[in-house]
Amino acid sequence: MAKTMLEVRELTTKYITRFHEDVYAVDHVSLKIEEGKSLGIAGESGCGKSTLALSLMGYYFAPLHYMSGDIIIDGTNISGMNPDDVRKNILGTEIAYIPQAAMNALNPTIRIRKFIEDVIRAHDPKASKKDIYDMARQRFETLGLPIDALDKHAVELSGGMKQRVVIAISTILSPKVLIADEPSSALDVTSQKMVIKMLKDMMDKGFIKSMIFITHELPLLYNVTDDIMVMYAGQIVERGTAREMVFDPVHPYSRGLMKSILVPEEGMRSQKLTAIPGTPPNLKKPPQGCRFAERCKYATPACRGNSVSMTEFGDSRLYRCLMGVDQLKEVYAGEE
């Protein structure tokens, strides 16, 4: 049986605005990732993907606040752990994060070598410069990065190179869980492929044990991850294998996401593009019923009045909808 690297149980986190309003951006989210596996998280901007990523780190800064739930990394529950202990013993080694807009994450006045020194010495203050250089050189060589990049400033690197360097820095301590928050955004197609290949190679070589890949482009995850989870308004609305989620999405929102994006995969190229009507709900006052109901053409009064829980079907697939799977598929078939 595969070892569980990350298990999240009913995690809830919120933002508190300067007007003392609560914004529940992550609402009772549960997930599990096994060693050697990757999970994709897809959804529109503002659905809670990046907040979930930050929340999983267990290191909170206002206005983001932990409310409840468990975050268990390789058997260690980091929920409610002292922030200093999280920074010293968890971040970088147990779980690491590649931020959105990673190309802008590097201080332009500091050489790349210094970033790596800071990361390593945060966990091993006695590490010598030679040991740090050897670690960095080996990692750069393995990932196909030029060694002379260690002595350069960020402004001397191309966009794709900066992205790859940030990935190398984030994973220098070989974390058990890597969270990549839209790591290929703002890159040209060639650089995107290079970054994705780099992440997959790191998994294959054991530099990281498991990965969460976040993007708003659901089809992109088909070639990157084993499973895909779709988020909407702070909640998970569906989870399945990458193939199931791309070629046979069940939840109306997941299906809407697929129909709103050009898909290059065989068998999907001829689909007509359609937009999802409306906008996501205000999470200061989320709807009592299904959060997608106001944008869903299949919604009934029951959807707007009753809370909706996750339901399991098939081979461990999950979805959040009052309509049955067979009923939804019958409706979809009638529209094609």
Side-chain angles (χ1 to χ4, degrees):
M1 185 176 179
K3 186 177 182 180
T4 298
M5 283 291 101
L6 174 66
E7 183 174 5
V8 180
R9 303 172 185 162
E10 298 292 316
L11 178 64
T12 299
T13 62
K14 70 177 181 180
Y15 292 104
I16 301 178
T17 72
R18 61 193 181 95
F19 300 110
H20 305 290
E21 300 167 304
D22 293 336
V23 181
Y24 286 91
V26 174
D27 194 353
H28 292 87
V29 169
S30 297
L31 60 90
K32 183 184 291 188
I33 309 174
E34 296 177 341
E35 184 175 0
K37 298 294 184 180
S38 54
L39 171 67
I41 301 179
E44 293 171 284
S45 296
C47 71
K49 305 187 301 297
S50 293
T51 302
L52 174 60
L54 293 172
S55 299
L56 294 178
M57 304 288 286
Y59 197 60
Y60 299 93
F61 290 95
L64 180 61
H65 298 266
Y66 166 81
M67 296 304 296
S68 61
D70 297 310
I71 305 167
I72 303 168
I73 303 174
D74 194 18
T76 300
N77 194 333
I78 68 170
S79 305
M81 185 180 288
N82 182 285
D84 290 336
D85 291 337
V86 171
R87 183 174 184 180
K88 182 178 179 181
N89 302 315
I90 303 298
L91 300 183
T93 54
E94 301 298 301
I95 189 166
Y97 177 58
I98 301 172
Q100 249 184 12
M103 290 187 294
N104 300 320
L106 299 171
N107 186 326
T109 67
I110 297 177
R111 296 184 190 275
I112 303 303
R113 182 197 296 258
K114 184 64 167 61
F115 285 104
I116 296 176
E117 286 181 7
D118 290 345
V119 171
I120 294 176
R121 284 188 172 150
H123 296 271
D124 183 8
K126 296 181 180 179
S128 68
K129 284 194 174 184
K130 182 181 182 304
D131 290 339
I132 293 171
Y133 176 76
D134 287 342
M135 285 180 65
R137 178 179 52 78
Q138 291 172 10
R139 180 57 55 89
F140 271 44
E141 286 178 346
T142 303
L143 298 178
L145 288 164
I147 305 305
D148 62 1
L150 287 170
D151 293 310
K152 291 185 177 181
H153 295 85
V155 294
E156 299 177 84
L157 305 176
S158 66
M161 182 68 74
K162 281 190 282 189
Q163 190 82 318
R164 292 160 62 199
V165 165
V166 169
I167 292 172
I169 295 172
S170 298
T171 60
I172 193 70
L173 298 174
S174 299
K176 294 173 181 174
V177 182
L178 175 67
I179 304 173
D181 193 354
E182 302 204 32
S184 60
S185 63
L187 296 177
D188 59 80
V189 175
T190 301
S191 296
Q192 284 184 351
K193 288 182 178 179
M194 194 175 296
V195 166
I196 290 171
K197 182 181 184 301
M198 188 176 182
L199 290 171
K200 294 177 75 172
D201 286 347
M202 294 183 79
M203 286 278 293
D204 294 339
K205 293 173 181 176
F207 291 151
I208 52 179
K209 301 296 184 183
S210 59
M211 178 173 67
I212 295 176
F213 192 104
I214 297 173
T215 181
H216 60 276
E217 298 182 48
L218 197 156
L220 174 65
L221 298 173
Y222 176 69
N223 297 306
V224 181
T225 62
D226 299 295
D227 296 324
I228 296 175
M229 189 169 75
V230 174
M231 272 190 92
Y232 182 74
Q235 297 180 332
I236 306 306
V237 296
E238 187 173 358
R239 176 170 177 164
T241 66
R243 171 163 285 277
E244 289 169 339
M245 295 297 291
V246 170
F247 292 98
D248 188 29
V250 170
H251 193 279
Y253 179 64
S254 303
R255 186 175 172 84
L257 279 182
M258 281 302 305
K259 284 185 167 292
S260 65
I261 302 173
L262 287 171
V263 183
E265 274 69 36
E266 198 68 41
M268 300 288 285
R269 297 174 184 171
S270 60
Q271 75 171 15
K272 295 181 179 180
L273 290 177
T274 56
I276 302 174
T279 57
N282 185 340
L283 293 182
K284 294 177 184 177
K285 295 181 179 179
Q288 290 187 348
C290 173
R291 295 187 176 181
F292 187 60
E294 292 303 319
R295 304 174 70 188
C296 180
K297 63 181 179 180
Y298 313 113
T300 66
C303 298
R304 294 179 173 85
N306 300 325
S307 60
V308 186
S309 58
M310 294 290 279
T311 302
E312 186 173 346
F313 71 98
D315 188 15
S316 300
R317 288 190 69 180
L318 296 166
Y319 82 119
R320 188 186 299 271
C321 185
L322 292 180
M323 293 180 69
V325 174
D326 292 339
Q327 185 181 4
L328 282 167
K329 289 189 174 184
E330 185 176 338
V331 171
Y332 299 154
E335 294 177 342
E336 295 177 349

